[in-house]
């Protein structure tokens, strides 16, 4: 799939956005609006750090320390929330009440109640809410989804997702991350629902701390195999690891009554070298921002387009609710060593 | 890996064998001894069917209707048991008592007690017993095992096996097959132990009849995801289907602290065609006798070599016991929807 | 290789450029400067077409009908020449005399004399000249070159380049294109010199009009096999076609005393689908702007960096001269059915 | 493609053969008849070496020092000639006159006159003559040929053959080998005619001694790029090297008006390993007897079948004539540095 940008290159109608939070992800969205989303522009961005202000100013972007100022700015039509997770719902509700559309980073929240309150505010104020499950917009996964949706693999029977990070986060981060299920596997839970087009009914987890035993002190694990039951009868299995020394391993496969489709990794290049010792090829792209470069662009572009063209949000509050609910159920399954039904959570 | 035959092509020392059972697998072993195992020969073969006798006679092989005659034949040093599963243990014991070495098709039996009685007879009579877990001798899986054994992937964390048949067996066969775990997945249970070099500690199954609901009438399923806990801490996952429309899908992957190794399918050829609709490549080899052609030859060759060179059996009664025990545990897990420890079975 | 942009995202020092010619390639460079080259900006762009002016104005770029105005503009430090080929040298000389650095699309010219006059002007005025042989900056070819340069394949013995367009240009274009060697294969001639790090000594061509016989009326061909002799002793072979129905086929392979390295095509995605008919995979990226998206960005970025950091031009007038000389020699070889030495041309 | 053997496993009708020459290739054919060609058997084999007799006797094969005895043996219906090349034609003629069918190793001879005399004898005596161009029977190349023959790639425009040996032969062998074109590339000349289904019209060679300059003392080379013109208009290019350090490199690709088909190498296994340094895969099968194991079996089987079923020889004297003629023309092209027409040779 081509960069969506080229289709819009010199468009005149533009969505006016404000960005809340200029950490790593906030800067990515900022750069994508500036350089890769021709029908969007930035009015103002907020962050509490002075360094972030410097960076934004060099790119010609006005800044403030106040998220409220971004939400309340009269020229801002949509806010892009990249603040820490506990602030996602409060800012979403405030923006909705100010009649601003919202793009919010995942997860929307780690509790069902909070997500439902955001969902309520968005519905009542008739604004769009889109969650940043960017992987849905990756060309490989888009292709697999389109094959499944077109019936090319028949009834889905087995879904396999391999999702392994190149390196574990610092232990300080682990402590506040919400755990492997709500921090890392949540992407895979969303992907499982997206690819199969079916809700998850129950979840079973087997996991351990095989990379770094200290992670257990925070009641967390670093290696997991997660079995999902879907409402359409399919069975899913996700394998997660916090440390794949060969890079960021992001593959999936769906097997059904008429065939199978699998997405392999994107690699640094397509060169193979042979000498007397063997064949050597490139590793999977290591850094998530590089691996999902197009996904991030396509994702933000989809938000901008859904607002401008008044289409339904491609990833809405219900999607956020379900991904979080599966994550909560996975945590219970690990602790109680049993299959947990999603309806126990909702 | 080259066909082992060429190394032995004109050897003079030969193991004298008798074959019991000339069904599909029996005929394969017969042909392998005749044409591909230079240091073995056939003295006599038994079967109850007249057609089988005709076939064997055209190949110049003497025949009888009596398995006992094969076992008791003074020129026979080793018997190759390809009779129905319930006869595996009785014939193994009879052969051991007659001081004949035994190659027996899998599974040795579907009960722990029977396997232990065969194990006892073999040990007491100091003969070799090798089980026909041929897949261990496939060049791809041999290579993965050798990488794991050499420490190339570090400590194993996750093992994934995909094992899907091209088409389900007839329902009449299903009825007497012992079920998907003891008939089909038993190969994967053996492979899991072989690749990781570790015993399986517990098993959890999620499965269903997604291909043909009638299979449920026989308390069986056709689609399964099986999670294994290993004694070395690794977590394994097997996905099985009785019907992959694109062929016989036999892959595995082992992920560890230092890297990952995966075995892809063998395909009909290595040709790729491109036209304006896409790229087209060959399917996985469809027929198990073709897919595992070298594995069958190498497997029988290993038996013959272990007898002639008086080496330990590469796949012994303990291996048969453990594979069956995992299969029994898997059945309990499916019925009782819980993780089952292998020690509950033994 | 990551998009170079991210490394420079918020840089303050910027090269001030003017663009001459806003056709397809001109618009690509314009968009790359606007959105993907943070340390460059556009002062003014020229084109004779009113439509081009509209497009540029929507992107906020000042325009003129006069190339001279771009060259003479006091704020312009470097010009990017995307005008028709016959104007390349005149504009390059004018810019050099105005002490402006020059990025010029390939080919610099189709005659040796003209190229040498541009080379002279550039040298005398001590400005940079870089030619738009963008493919050198493609991540695959960069990787192969780096392997060769590091000695990983040993002494190069055989170079193979496959370069096939997805569709032939209109016959009207063919008429004025300079022929397949100076219009299309010139990229491959430059690549041959780049990958081997050696000058081409002689060339032999076998070619024909196999796709559309009408192309012969313009003394041109659409299918060619070109054999190159290199000064370091290596032998090269290029195969060209104007029409590969499966897409834009851009591969190369270098074989040497210590091994081999090959660059495969980039594909639309990394998804493979299997059904009962076979395996199906994505086609090579079809459109050259998409296939070489990163190459175009990296190429322009390299020009900007070489000016800002005062480094030698990575693709200079000598490179342009040699590529054109090989193209001219190839034309003679086709007409005279003999090996033509490059020194016959220079 | 499955081993053809299984289809014939217990057939009763058998072709009675005699083998002349028990060198490396002779022993391969001997083993294939004994173990892999169920509808053939060996009556007698000849060789001048005592060691060869020992080997054959251990396999239960009667031997003689006299090729004439094999040809004249009343029970022999077909001879398999694996003697040195200068003896191919004399033995073929003698066998034909004795009304014996002939399978003869390639090349039939290195001169046109000799080949024509063998052709005459075979025709007059109405026996089959098949040449051992075994590669035609390799599953990959069979598949490409069938795609071309079925029109799947349209009109062939470009044929590419890569044929590189893992190691050069000893210089003593080079001296008597007939040179790279008649010893090594002759397989590729036959393949070029087979894949395209068209006669070669002319040939141009560029080659050198890049691996070992001493080979030049014998007027030979070790590296070549060969351009072929076909009667159907297609253009072919073969690249040969006597030494690919990574193994036996045997690939080809045919490009046409409707698409492209390419045969990749067969590898030692289908395992890929990833660690922090990159991906590692198996090398191409190194040894020609292993790489072409199935091709050798299928080839001999085809000869046996063509005799038993009285079908035309799949590779006849004309095929031998043309391959040799192209080889002779290639030698002239190298010496005279010009395109040589095949009709200059015939």
């Amino acid at each position: 799939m081509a960069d969506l940008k080229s289709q819009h290159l010199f468009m005149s109608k533009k969505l006016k956005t404000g960005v809340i939070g200029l950490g790593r992800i906030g800067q990515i969205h900022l750069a994508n609006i500036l350089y890769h989303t021709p029908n969007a522009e930035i009015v103002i961005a907020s962050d509490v750090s002075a360094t972030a202000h410097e960076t934004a100013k060099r790119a010609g972007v006005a800044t403030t320390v106040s998220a409220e100022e971004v939400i309340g700015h009269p020229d801002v039509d949509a806010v892009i929330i990249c603040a820490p997770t506990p602030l996602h719902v409060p800012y979403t509700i405030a923006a909705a009440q100010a009649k601003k559309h919202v793009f919010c980073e995942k997860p929307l929240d780690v509790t069902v109640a909070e997500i439902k309150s955001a969902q309520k505010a968005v519905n009542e104020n008739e604004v769009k809410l889109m969650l940043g499950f960017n992987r849905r917009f990756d060309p490989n996964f888009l292709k697999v989804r389109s094959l499944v949706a077109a019936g090319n693999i028949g009834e889905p029977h087995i879904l396999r997702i391999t999702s392994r990070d190149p390196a574990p986060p610092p232990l300080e981060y682990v402590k506040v991350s919400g755990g492997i299920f709500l921090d890392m596997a949540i992407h895979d839970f969303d992907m499982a629902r997206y690819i199969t087009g079916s809700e998850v009914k129950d979840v079973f987890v087997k996991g351990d701390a095989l990379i770094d035993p200290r992670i257990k002190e925070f009641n967390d694990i670093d290696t997991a195999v997660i079995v999902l039951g879907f409402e359409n009868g399919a069975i899913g299995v996700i394998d997660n690891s916090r440390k794949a020394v060969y890079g960021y391993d992001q593959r999936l496969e769906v097997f059904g009554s008429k065939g199978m489709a699998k997405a392999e990794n994107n690699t640094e290049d397509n060169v193979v070298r042979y000498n007397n010792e063997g064949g050597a090829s490139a590793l999977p792209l290591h850094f998530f921002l590089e691996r999902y470069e197009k996904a991030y662009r396509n994702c933000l572009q989809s938000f901008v387009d859904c607002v401008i063209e008044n289409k339904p949000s491609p990833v809405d509050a219900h999607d956020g609710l379900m991904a979080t609910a599966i994550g909560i159920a996975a945590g219970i399954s690990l602790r109680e060593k049993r299959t947990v039904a999603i309806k126990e959570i909702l």
Side-chain angles (χ1 to χ4, degrees), chain A:
Chain A
M1 210 181 100
D3 191 327
L4 290 178
K5 204 179 80 61
S6 56
Q7 303 164 25
H8 302 274
L9 202 58
F10 302 106
M11 292 179 64
S12 48
K13 190 175 178 186
K14 294 191 175 193
L15 180 67
K16 291 173 178 170
T17 67
V19 173
I20 298 173
L22 289 173
R24 189 161 64 171
I25 294 294
Q27 288 195 29
I28 288 301
H29 290 312
L30 182 69
N32 279 338
I33 294 171
L34 285 171
Y35 299 108
H36 301 285
T37 317
N39 56 344
E41 59 190 31
I42 293 202
V43 176
I44 189 167
S46 72
D47 200 283
V48 293
S49 130
T51 318
H53 284 232
E54 280 303 300
T55 302
K57 272 171 188 159
R58 274 207 303 277
V61 174
T63 56
T64 169
V65 293
S66 157
E68 287 71 19
E69 191 181 334
V70 173
I71 291 169
H73 195 293
D75 290 346
V76 166
D77 294 324
V79 295
I80 293 163
I81 302 174
C82 309
T85 300
L87 297 170
H88 287 179
V89 167
Y91 288 159
T92 296
I93 292 174
Q97 288 171 346
K99 305 294 180 195
K100 306 296 170 84
H101 302 288
V102 177
F103 178 95
C104 183
E105 265 307 309
K106 54 104 262 190
L108 185 45
D109 196 76
V110 298
T111 70
V112 168
E114 285 291 297
I115 294 175
K116 286 187 172 173
S117 67
Q119 192 172 22
K120 186 160 167 283
V122 162
N123 288 343
E124 284 177 358
N125 290 286
E126 293 181 342
V127 295
K128 310 281 183 200
L129 169 64
M130 177 168 165
L131 296 179
F133 282 118
N134 58 294
R135 295 187 195 174
R136 289 188 180 209
F137 300 90
D138 171 73
N140 290 348
F141 303 144
L142 279 170
K143 172 73 163 287
V144 174
R145 171 57 194 155
S146 75
L147 288 168
V148 173
N152 266 291
I153 66 117
E155 287 294 313
H157 290 175
I158 297 171
L159 170 74
R160 282 191 353 186
I161 296 177
T162 287
S163 180
R164 302 170 188 157
D165 281 353
L171 282 175
E172 307 78 61
Y173 175 84
V174 166
K175 207 171 355 182
V176 299
S177 69
I180 193 171
F181 303 121
L182 289 169
D183 176 54
M184 177 183 169
I186 196 164
H187 274 294
D188 307 309
F189 299 144
D190 183 64
M191 185 60 68
R193 295 176 61 248
Y194 170 66
I195 291 287
T196 59
S198 173
E199 293 293 355
V200 170
K201 215 167 59 178
D202 53 49
V203 58
F204 171 85
V205 173
K206 187 170 185 74
D208 208 341
L210 299 179
I211 297 156
D212 184 348
R214 291 175 301 166
I215 209 171
K216 280 188 168 170
E217 297 167 22
F218 309 107
N219 296 313
D220 205 355
I221 57 175
D222 52 31
T223 305
V225 166
I226 304 167
V227 180
L228 303 173
F230 291 90
E231 289 193 353
N232 67 2
I235 305 171
V237 60
I238 299 166
D239 70 88
N240 289 132
S241 169
R242 285 285 198 184
K243 187 176 179 185
V245 297
Y246 53 90
Y248 192 36
D249 194 349
Q250 298 282 291
R251 291 171 288 157
L252 61 80
E253 171 177 331
V254 57
F255 167 83
S257 57
K258 288 188 183 167
M260 180 262 274
K262 60 175 177 170
E264 298 289 349
N265 281 312
N266 291 357
T267 50
E268 291 165 0
D269 56 60
N270 289 319
V271 172
V272 191
R273 177 169 57 92
Y274 293 88
N275 62 20
N276 57 355
E277 290 176 354
S281 54
L283 288 175
L285 288 170
H286 193 91
F287 189 38
F288 77 97
L289 293 177
E290 192 176 3
R291 169 63 183 84
Y292 286 119
E293 185 186 24
K294 286 195 174 172
Y296 274 106
R297 291 182 197 170
N298 294 345
C299 180
L300 197 67
Q301 185 68 64
S302 291
F303 170 66
V304 171
D305 291 348
C306 100
V307 173
I308 287 181
E309 300 166 24
N310 192 22
K311 296 183 301 189
S313 164
V315 194
D316 62 15
H318 174 71
D319 294 311
L321 181 66
M322 295 310 292
T324 292
I326 301 169
I328 293 168
I332 298 172
S333 175
L334 182 70
R335 287 192 301 277
E336 304 186 357
K337 298 184 192 308
R338 65 174 179 93
T339 301
V340 175
I342 303 306
K343 65 181 176 195
E344 297 181 39
I345 314 301
L346 296 177

